[in-house]
Amino acid sequence: MDLLGKDKNNYGKQRLWGSIGWSLFAIISGACVDWYSAGLEYKNYAPGYAIALLCFLLDIYVVFKLKVVQENDTKIVASDVKKVFTEGKVLAFLLWVVLIGFFMSFIWNFIFWYLEDLSNEFHPETKSWMKTLQGIALLIQCFGGEVPSFLFSSYILKRVDHMTIFSMVFFTFTFIFSIYTVIENPLWALPVELLNGITFALSYSAAISYASLITPAGAEGTLQGVVGTAYTGIGAPVGSFVGGYMFKHIGSIASFKVLSVVAFFTCAVQIIVNYILKRLSKNEDAKDIYSKVQTKDDNIEEEVNLTS
């Protein structure tokens, strides 16, 4: 965010390269594993670990070469960060991030399970090329959804309020989970994966951008770390645990029916809470203005009395 300077809305243009690298190396690693495992009874994933290690070392090299100048006043940071985390809008923001991570985990971790259930129940002829179908689903998620959304996120964030984007994200989750409950052919799930651009790319860009806007100078890393923890360290793990239990006991399609209702309820609550916080914020601003005007009038009156 410091490298972006004032253009923090352009974060998505940075992050899209992560999606490109993730999908390309998923394909490369998969091909290497298949090649290395030729003739073996079980897959040997050694090439995947070797590629991951190489990328990790390259990442460290690049990070050490980055020149970042960050304002940092520890006295100000400690007090200001504490103040930020006591604000209602910030606590609500972190709650929405946790819930987005929760819903996102079902797409990240259970979409393959869902596609196989559709194949087993409705279209067994797709079993022979199911892994190819799942790979195509990932490609569509990334290149069809994430990359364009990251690319245009700066344009969108300049024109749409961050909390409004969160409302769009929760509504999109509702739509996705609802569609999953009526699809029978696994192929029809592929176009739905395009919406991953809204649920992940746009939501993540909005979260990082909003965190940067509300953070005091010098504490950007702190709040961005909290946002990352809320998204992938709390929301996603809880969703993974709940999702595993639901899929095992009630099945994938029934699970998505429940999730569609929960996502819709979350969307409604988020809109209401956001409206209330905006009204309270306007009232506080009005009180501050009145207080400043009143203080100014008192000072003028005091000066007049002294002059008299």
Side-chain angles (χ1 to χ4, degrees):
M1 302 306 290
D2 285 307
L3 289 172
L4 289 172
K6 295 180 179 179
D7 300 321
K8 299 187 186 302
N9 287 331
N10 287 329
Y11 169 77
K13 294 180 180 179
Q14 287 182 332
R15 179 57 181 78
L16 69 86
W17 293 100
S19 295
I20 292 174
W22 175 79
S23 60
L24 289 179
F25 276 96
I27 298 169
I28 293 171
S29 299
C32 289
V33 168
D34 285 338
W35 167 76
Y36 195 73
S37 305
L40 299 178
E41 184 178 358
Y42 300 103
K43 297 290 185 182
N44 188 325
Y45 293 95
Y49 287 103
I51 292 172
L53 178 61
L54 176 63
C55 291
F56 181 69
L57 294 174
L58 288 173
D59 186 35
I60 292 175
Y61 174 78
V62 172
V63 169
F64 270 105
K65 290 294 182 180
L66 291 177
K67 303 297 181 183
V68 181
V69 179
Q70 185 182 57
E71 297 178 13
N72 192 10
D73 187 335
T74 54
K75 294 181 180 178
I76 296 177
V77 169
S79 59
D80 287 359
V81 168
K82 184 178 179 180
K83 182 180 179 182
V84 166
F85 284 110
T86 60
E87 294 183 10
K89 64 178 182 180
V90 176
L91 295 176
F93 160 66
L94 292 176
L95 175 60
W96 309 140
V97 172
V98 168
L99 290 171
I100 290 173
F102 174 84
F103 291 126
M104 199 68 231
S105 69
F106 285 85
I107 296 175
W108 283 341
N109 301 321
F110 299 105
I111 186 64
F112 286 0
W113 191 338
Y114 164 71
L115 291 175
E116 291 184 1
D117 280 353
L118 290 181
S119 178
N120 292 330
E121 187 169 349
F122 300 109
H123 288 271
E125 73 276 6
T126 61
K127 288 183 180 180
S128 60
W129 53 288
M130 178 51 62
K131 296 305 174 184
T132 301
L133 180 64
Q134 291 171 343
I136 294 172
L138 288 180
L139 282 175
I140 292 176
Q141 277 187 16
C142 179
F143 283 98
E146 290 182 19
V147 171
S149 293
F150 276 130
L151 184 63
F152 293 106
S153 62
S154 60
Y155 177 85
I156 297 171
L157 287 170
K158 287 178 181 178
R159 291 161 177 79
V160 182
D161 179 72
H162 291 77
M163 292 299 108
T164 301
I165 288 178
F166 280 5
S167 301
M168 292 169 52
V169 170
F170 288 125
F171 180 79
T172 304
F173 276 125
T174 304
F175 180 75
I176 290 174
F177 297 148
S178 299
I179 292 296
Y180 281 163
T181 64
V182 298
I183 291 175
E184 292 187 356
N185 192 326
L187 286 172
W188 286 109
L190 297 181
V192 182
E193 301 309 306
L194 291 170
L195 295 175
N196 189 59
I198 297 176
T199 55
F200 174 64
L202 193 57
S203 70
Y204 198 76
S205 296
I208 295 296
S209 174
Y210 187 77
S212 180
L213 290 174
I214 63 176
T215 307
E220 293 85 356
T222 300
L223 194 56
Q224 286 174 33
V226 171
V227 170
T229 300
Y231 201 110
T232 59
I234 299 176
V238 172
S240 298
F241 179 80
V242 173
Y245 182 87
M246 291 174 65
F247 271 54
K248 180 179 179 180
H249 290 86
I250 66 175
S252 59
I253 296 175
S255 296
F256 282 126
K257 286 182 180 179
V258 174
L259 284 170
S260 63
V261 175
V262 175
F264 178 78
F265 177 76
T266 303
C267 179
V269 170
Q270 192 268 339
I271 292 173
I272 294 171
V273 171
N274 186 39
Y275 174 78
I276 293 173
L277 289 174
K278 276 187 175 181
R279 291 294 300 267
L280 291 176
S281 178
K282 287 180 180 179
N283 291 338
E284 288 177 0
D285 292 342
K287 288 180 181 178
D288 290 341
I289 293 172
Y290 175 79
S291 178
K292 290 178 181 178
V293 171
Q294 188 66 36
T295 302
K296 185 176 180 181
D297 290 343
D298 291 342
N299 290 338
I300 293 173
E301 185 177 351
E302 185 178 351
E303 288 178 4
V304 170
N305 292 334
L306 289 173
T307 304
S308 302

